[in-house]
C-alpha cells in the first residue's frame, strides 16, 4: 500500500519533527514559491541555520530549490508528505474501524449478559 | 517512537470487552478496517502465547496480522507484539510493533485506551505535538486537492 521505501519514510518523518521546518512547509503551502531570504525572515535564527533546515527538507524530498541569478526560490513537493500520511492513516483507519465494531459487539454481549442476569 | 492512541467508552463491563478482544468468536465480529470478513482467528491467551488473524477487505485483498501476547491481565490489560504478515512473509519491513490495551471500569461500562506503539521512530513525536488530526492533516488536505 505504501510506495516509498522505508528509509524515505523515515527521512520524511524526521524532517517533520522540527517546528521550524513545519513552519517553513506551512508557508510554502500558502505561497507557491518563496525566496530563501524571505523564508528566513520570520524566524529568530540566522540564515545558515535556515539553510540547514532547507537541506533536511530537501533531502526528504519535501521541497525543491531553483536558482535564478542570485535568488534561490523554494517550493513545496507534495508527494512524499502524501505518502507518509497515507502510511500513518492506514493504521488509524484500521483501528478506528475495528474499535467501532468491537464497541458494537461488546455492547450487544453486555445486553445479552444483563438479560441473562435478570432472568436468573 | 511512533504511536497511535485511541480512547473509546463502551457500554459493557470490562470482562465482556476483554473477551471480545481476545476470543476467536469475538475477534471474528470486529477485526479489520472495513466490513470484509475475518477468515481465521486463533488465540492462545497466555503470556508467550500467539495470536493470528486473517481477514479479507471489501476490495478482495487478504491481510494477516500475528504476534505474541506479552501481558495478559483479564479484565484490565492486554499487550501484544504485532506484525503484518501476508502468506507468512512480513508485509512491511521493520521491527515488530506493539499493541497495548487498558480497560478501566467506569459508571457506564468501560473506558478502553488503545495504543499501537513503536510504529516508527520519529512519527510519534509529531503525533504528540500535533495530534493525529492536527496541522499536518491540513497540509494533507491541501495536497490531495492539488
Amino acid at each position: 500500500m505504501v510506495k516509498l521505501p522505508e528509509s524515505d519514510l523515515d527521512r520524511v518523518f524526521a524532517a517533520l519533527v522540527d517546528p521550524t521546518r513545519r513552519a517553513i512547509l506551512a508557508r510554502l503551502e500558502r505561497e507557491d514559491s518563496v525566496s530563501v531570504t524571505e523564508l528566513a525572515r520570520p524566524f529568530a535564527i540566522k540564515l545558515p541555520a535556515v539553510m540547514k533546515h532547507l537541506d533536511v527538507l530537501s533531502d526528504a524530498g519535501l521541497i525543491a530549490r531553483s536558482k535564478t541569478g542570485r535568488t534561490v526560490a523554494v517550493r513545496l513537493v507534495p508527494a512524499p508528505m502524501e505518502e507518509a500520511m497515507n502510511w500513518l492513516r492506514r493504521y488509524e483507519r484500521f483501528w478506528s474501524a475495528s474499535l467501532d465494531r468491537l464497541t458494537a459487539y461488546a455492547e450487544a454481549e453486555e445486553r445479552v449478559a444483563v438479560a441473562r442476569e435478570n432472568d436468573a | 517512537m511512533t504511536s497511535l492512541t485511541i480512547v473509546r467508552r463502551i457500554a459493557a463491563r470490562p470482562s465482556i470487552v476483554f473477551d471480545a478482544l481476545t476470543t476467536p468468536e469475538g475477534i471474528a465480529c470486529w477485526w479489520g478496517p472495513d466490513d470484509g470478513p475475518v477468515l481465521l482467528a486463533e488465540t492462545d491467551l497466555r503470556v508467550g502465547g500467539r495470536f493470528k488473524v486473517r481477514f479479507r477487505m471489501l476490495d478482495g485483498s487478504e491481510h494477516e496480522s500475528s504476534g505474541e501476547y506479552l501481558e495478559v491481565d483479564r479484565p484490565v490489560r492486554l499487550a501484544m507484539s504485532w506484525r503484518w504478515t501476508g502468506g507468512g512473509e512480513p508485509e512491511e519491513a521493520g521491527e515488530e510493533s506493539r499493541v497495548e490495551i487498558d480497560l478501566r471500569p467506569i459508571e457506564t461500562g468501560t473506558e478502553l485506551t488503545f495504543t499501537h506503539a513503536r510504529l516508527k521512530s520519529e512519527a510519534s513525536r509529531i503525533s504528540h505535538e500535533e495530534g493525529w488530526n492536527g496541522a499536518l492533516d491540513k497540509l494533507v488536505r491541501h495536497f490531495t486537492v492539488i
Side-chain angles (χ1 to χ4, degrees):
Chain A
M1 290 189 216
V2 173
K3 292 181 205 80
L4 279 183
E6 197 87 349
S7 55
D8 289 0
L9 268 181
D10 284 343
R11 266 199 292 277
V12 170
F13 287 129
L16 292 173
V17 163
D18 183 87
T20 303
R21 292 198 286 270
R22 286 203 300 273
I24 291 172
L25 289 175
R27 170 138 192 213
L28 292 173
E29 184 204 357
R30 295 191 300 270
E31 301 169 47
D32 278 347
S33 174
V34 186
S35 73
V36 172
T37 325
E38 184 54 36
L39 264 184
R41 207 185 298 276
F43 301 112
I45 51 175
K46 296 218 156 54
L47 194 59
V50 172
M51 296 300 282
K52 275 192 189 140
H53 283 308
L54 293 178
D55 286 344
V56 174
L57 289 170
S58 180
D59 287 348
L62 291 165
I63 60 162
R65 286 178 282 200
S66 54
K67 199 169 180 186
T68 316
R70 292 174 60 190
T71 311
V72 177
V74 183
R75 64 180 176 78
L76 203 62
V77 181
M81 176 80 120
E82 216 174 318
E83 288 276 346
M85 289 302 122
N86 285 343
W87 184 89
L88 285 173
R89 284 178 165 197
R90 176 187 175 193
Y91 282 97
E92 193 186 24
R93 266 199 307 272
F94 178 87
W95 286 116
S96 184
S98 290
L99 294 178
D100 281 349
R101 280 195 305 276
L102 170 82
T103 300
Y105 172 76
E107 290 182 349
E109 289 288 294
E110 174 70 27
R111 286 192 291 274
V112 170
V114 168
R116 204 181 295 133
E117 283 159 11
N118 289 342
D119 286 347
Chain B
M1 302 298 274
T2 308
S3 67
L4 163 66
T5 297
I6 299 172
V7 178
R8 287 287 154 91
R9 292 184 160 216
I10 303 174
R13 67 197 78 177
S15 61
I16 284 180
V17 177
F18 191 92
D19 292 347
L21 286 164
T22 53
T23 59
E25 307 84 75
I27 286 170
C29 293
W30 61 267
W31 193 290
D34 61 25
D35 289 327
V38 170
L39 305 171
L40 168 93
E42 292 172 357
T43 60
D44 179 10
L45 188 62
R46 58 190 171 85
V47 173
R50 297 193 66 82
F51 72 91
K52 190 198 294 188
V53 183
R54 187 156 64 235
F55 60 93
R56 185 186 298 137
M57 288 175 62
L58 293 176
D59 66 8
S61 65
E62 289 185 16
H63 305 272
E64 188 178 285
S65 39
S66 62
E68 182 185 328
Y69 289 112
L70 305 171
E71 290 174 55
V72 178
D73 186 5
R74 185 179 188 269
V76 296
R77 183 168 164 83
L78 184 70
M80 56 218 194
S81 65
W82 173 281
R83 191 186 281 282
W84 289 106
T85 45
E89 292 299 313
E91 231 181 69
E92 205 167 62
E95 292 179 10
E96 280 188 335
S97 52
R98 181 185 172 102
V99 170
E100 294 177 26
I101 299 164
D102 285 293
L103 304 176
R104 188 169 72 84
I106 54 173
E107 201 178 327
T108 52
T110 304
E111 185 182 80
L112 178 150
T113 303
F114 169 93
T115 304
H116 200 146
R118 301 187 188 171
L119 286 174
K120 190 73 70 175
S121 55
E122 298 291 348
S124 66
R125 276 181 278 169
I126 302 169
S127 61
H128 288 149
E129 286 174 33
E130 303 284 341
W132 283 67
N133 302 308
L136 293 174
D137 272 15
K138 283 184 214 146
L139 286 171
V140 174
R141 273 198 293 282
H142 172 74
F143 294 152
T144 49
V145 299
I146 284 173

